[in-house]
């Protein structure tokens, strides 16, 4: 199951535990956010790291450039997400 955020995945993990389901044997879970704490859970959380810090830095660079030049930047900067495969999913 793909969960909307790593925080929500913690609730799904708890529900799976209460239902007697084993992760990833009975259900594979993948979160989205890439929180670093996810590697310390049992089992460690598989997640899509959206690289929010890099996105914020790119936004600040674009804003500073706009302030300095008075013009909007042309084009798009792409920041690729990363899949961090850990033990909560069989991939």
């Amino acid at each position: 199951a793909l969960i909307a955020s790593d925080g929500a995945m913690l609730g799904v993990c708890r529900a799976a535990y209460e239902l007697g389901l084993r992760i990833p044997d009975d259900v594979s879970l993948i979160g989205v956010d890439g929180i670093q704490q996810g590697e310390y859970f049992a089992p460690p959380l598989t997640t899509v790291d959206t690289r929010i810090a890099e996105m914020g830095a790119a936004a600040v660079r674009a804003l500073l450039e706009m302030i300095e030049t008075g013009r909007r930047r042309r084009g798009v900067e792409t920041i690729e997400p990363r899949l961090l495969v850990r033990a909560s999913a069989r991939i």
Side-chain angles (χ1 to χ4, degrees):
L2 180 61
I3 314 301
S5 72
D6 288 350
M9 186 160 62
L10 299 177
V12 173
C13 287
R14 174 65 186 228
Y17 171 78
E18 290 175 358
L19 292 169
L21 297 173
R22 296 169 298 148
I23 301 168
D25 297 326
D26 298 322
V27 62
S28 285
L29 300 177
I30 301 173
V32 176
D33 284 337
I35 62 170
Q36 289 184 328
Q37 299 88 340
E39 67 183 291
Y40 302 109
F41 286 88
L45 306 177
T46 298
T47 186
V48 177
D49 180 2
T50 56
R51 302 175 65 189
I52 193 74
E54 289 92 341
M55 283 193 278
V60 168
R61 285 191 305 272
L63 180 59
L64 289 174
E65 184 179 315
M66 188 177 357
I67 291 169
E68 290 173 2
T69 66
R71 294 186 307 263
R72 267 181 62 184
R73 180 188 292 183
R74 299 272 182 203
V76 175
E77 183 173 343
T78 302
I79 299 172
E80 294 291 329
R82 295 179 292 210
L83 178 63
L84 303 176
V85 178
R86 298 186 182 127
S88 70
R90 296 233 172 141
I91 297 178

